[in-house]
Amino acid sequence: MSITIIAAVAKNRAIGKENQLLYWLPNDLKRFKSLTSGHTIIMGRHTFDSLPKGALPNRRNIVLSRTVAHLPGCECYPSFEEAMKHCEPDEKIFIIGGAQIYQQTIDKADRLCLTEINDIPKDADAFFPSYEKDWKIVEKNEFATDDKHKYEYAFVDYVKSPKTSRY
């Protein structure tokens, strides 16, 4: 089983404000869809609530919630560990947020697929956990601003050594 964390992260690791994404980057959204389609996504309840149309199509949607047992188009489990019991060994799993779920799973992940945004927002209230230690860049593609992207950004993929990652 492979576990990948996917997120858009500002220079100060900010990821959201008031349960919404900080940035609208069409290329980031395309990359997210391309990477996660056909696979399992795991999210917290607040992340699910922030989705405009509910469960994301063409993906197995798993929501972690201690209080909700059913959401349309989703499987719900009270913990990450319980959700893992219902996943197959060859399943590709993407952790899509939010901050608490990222914090709970970063030590269990094999890979990070981050969009690193060259900006520091003024008033974010959700942050990605520190990832400077134990992670190594394996691919980085940088992009300048354009008419659809207000900020410079980079798609950066990291891997963790097998000694430090495992569920």
Side-chain angles (χ1 to χ4, degrees):
M1 163 176 340
S2 73
I3 299 172
T4 300
I5 291 178
I6 189 166
V9 182
K11 288 175 79 168
N12 63 347
R13 294 186 286 107
I15 58 172
K17 181 181 179 201
E18 298 175 358
N19 206 34
Q20 297 298 314
L21 295 174
L22 294 172
Y23 303 98
W24 180 261
L25 300 169
N27 288 345
D28 173 57
L29 298 173
K30 288 177 193 169
R31 179 178 193 239
F32 176 90
K33 183 177 180 180
S34 171
L35 289 172
T36 62
S37 287
H39 302 294
T40 298
I41 57 173
I42 296 179
M43 69 195 95
R45 172 64 194 269
H46 293 297
T47 297
F48 175 80
D49 289 342
S50 75
L51 299 174
K53 296 179 183 175
L56 296 177
N58 305 315
R59 287 158 223 151
R60 179 183 178 197
N61 286 250
I62 294 177
V63 175
L64 304 181
S65 174
R66 289 185 286 279
T67 59
V68 176
H70 177 74
L71 294 168
C74 299
E75 298 169 45
C76 296
Y77 298 103
S79 69
F80 179 73
E81 290 72 22
E82 186 63 29
M84 290 296 92
K85 292 177 185 175
H86 297 273
C87 293
E88 299 297 322
D90 62 346
E91 208 160 343
K92 279 186 85 171
I93 297 166
F94 288 86
I95 309 299
I96 69 165
Q100 289 180 352
I101 304 303
Y102 290 142
Q103 188 66 51
Q104 290 173 24
T105 59
I106 194 158
D107 292 334
K108 298 166 177 73
D110 305 298
R111 186 174 195 89
L112 304 177
C113 290
L114 301 180
T115 300
E116 296 180 344
I117 299 139
N118 188 17
D119 183 54
I120 297 177
K122 291 183 178 116
D123 52 1
D125 60 13
F127 295 85
F128 196 81
S130 176
Y131 59 97
E132 290 76 23
K133 185 180 173 193
D134 298 327
W135 292 94
K136 176 183 155 192
I137 294 174
V138 291
E139 186 172 350
K140 183 174 186 174
N141 297 298
E142 299 181 71
F143 302 90
T145 60
D146 62 29
D147 59 333
K148 293 183 180 178
H149 299 84
K150 183 178 174 182
Y151 303 96
E152 295 174 340
Y153 63 98
F155 294 150
V156 188
D157 293 349
Y158 294 83
V159 295
K160 195 180 226 183
S161 81
K163 292 180 217 119
T164 58
S165 91
R166 275 288 41 109
Y167 171 72

